[in-house]
């Protein structure tokens, strides 16, 4: 396959690029290297693929439909994996217009570029945030997802609806993957596991919003990459699929796991709940296992230990 991968220099995108190249695919990476976090980190994410004969990384914005169409034609792409997005619930509350412009208009730009170049295979990153504060646990793909709590959640649900429209009108084969808090080496620096680890090693307080009893379904990067790859291989019609870990983890328990891995006790700065945050995410994985053979394999404590070892070797020792 020749795969256009948007967001290729990001956390998930860089891991997926390496995996797809290892499988023998050609990857056309597309990334704008924006400053939501240090662009130098994104350049570092790509260091393992530099010089590989089956990859090209193009700097560009997904809102540039003309450029996207040119890339799809020039490299004769047959599949698109769309990971590029303006990420983060709290950032979206601060800058809702930018979030919607990138995540909704950018997705529309990509879909139109695909339509005009006759590319009909799409795997798109969505988010567990679309479920809001659902009272139906675990979250199933056929649950109502129409009460988002943040502009980010709304933008991801809107992007899902856009892809369904293109499936209906233009025969696109689409899988929207609802990711549940992905973590692991290269995780974005503002995310909890990365931020807590950095602060604990530095002897600084960690900030916890709320009472520490929120729970998240954490998904190790290896499992996420396996889920995306399986979705690529099973594209047929239109589907919504949860890609999550095996169970949800309480925030206090998560902090304890990081403390054990780091070997230091955390000093906690307790702060009020943040607008847009949900209290629980919990994935029902039956549909993903039945339709694409997805089964998470890395338990949370093992994943935390792997992340902390990577952090010690690649960040502290660099």
């Amino acid at each position: 396959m020749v795969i256009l991968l948007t967001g290729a220099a990001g956390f998930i995108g860089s891991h997926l690029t390496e995996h797809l190249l290892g499988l023998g695919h050609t990857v056309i990476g597309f990334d704008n290297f924006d400053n939501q976090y240090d662009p130098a980190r994104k350049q570092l994410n790509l260091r393992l693929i530099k010089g590989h004969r089956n990859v090209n990384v193009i700097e560009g914005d997904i809102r540039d439909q003309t450029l996207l169409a040119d890339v799809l034609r020039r490299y004769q792409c047959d599949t698109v994996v769309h990971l590029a997005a303006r990420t983060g619930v709290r950032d979206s509350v601060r800058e809702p217009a930018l979030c919607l412009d990138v995540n909704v208009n950018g997705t529309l730009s990509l879909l139109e570029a695909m339509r005009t170049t006759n590319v009909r295979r799409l795997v798109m990153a969505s988010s567990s945030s679309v479920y809001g504060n659902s009272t139906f646990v675990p979250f199933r793909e056929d649950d109502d997802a129409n009460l988002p709590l943040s502009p980010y959640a709304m933008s991801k649900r809107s992007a899902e609806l856009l892809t369904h429209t293109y499936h209906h009108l233009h025969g696109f084969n689409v899988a929207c993957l609802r990711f549940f808090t992905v973590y692991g080496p290269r995780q974005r620096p503002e995310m909890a596991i990365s931020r807590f680890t950095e602060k604990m090693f530095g002897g600084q307080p960690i900030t916890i919003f709320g009472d520490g009893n929120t729970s998240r379904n954490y998904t190790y990067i290896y499992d996420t990459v396996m889920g995306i790859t399986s979705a690529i291989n099973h594209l047929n019609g239109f589907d919504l699929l949860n890609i999550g870990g095996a169970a949800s983890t309480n925030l206090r328990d998560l902090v304890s796991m990081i403390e054990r891995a780091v070997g230091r006790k955390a000093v906690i700065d307790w702060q009020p709940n943040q607008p847009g945050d949900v209290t629980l995410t919990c994935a029902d994985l039956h549909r993903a296992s039945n339709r694409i053979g997805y089964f998470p394999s890395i338990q949370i404590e093992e994943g935390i230990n792997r992340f902390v070892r990577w952090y010690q070797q690649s960040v502290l020792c660099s």
Side-chain angles (χ1 to χ4, degrees), residues 90 181 191-197 200 206-218 247-260 266 268-274 277-281 300 304:
R90 293 167 192 164
T181 314
M191 297 187 74
I193 292 172
S194 182
R195 192 173 69 250
F196 291 171
T197 300
M200 285 187 206
I206 65 171
T207 301
I208 291 182
F209 298 98
D211 60 7
N213 289 319
T214 56
S215 290
R216 295 287 182 270
N217 187 294
Y218 296 98
S248 295
T249 301
N250 179 280
L251 182 56
R252 292 175 184 266
D253 293 337
L254 178 75
V255 171
S256 296
M257 291 178 198
I258 300 173
E259 287 175 331
R260 289 193 292 272
I268 299 176
D269 173 25
W270 297 97
Q271 293 292 328
N273 281 318
Q274 292 287 286
D277 282 352
V278 300
T279 58
L280 167 71
T281 64
I300 180 65
I304 292 296

Side-chain angles (χ1 to χ4, degrees), residues 170-184:
H170 307 297
F172 280 31
N173 291 305
V174 179
C176 295
L177 307 183
R178 292 174 172 173
F179 294 154
F180 284 71
T181 314
V182 185
Y183 72 101

Side-chain angles (χ1 to χ4, degrees), residues 69-87:
D70 177 67
V71 170
L72 288 167
R73 283 193 199 95
R74 191 186 341 151
Y75 293 98
Q76 298 181 313
C77 301
D78 52 65
T79 302
V80 175
V81 178
H82 179 33
L83 303 181
R86 189 72 181 179
T87 56

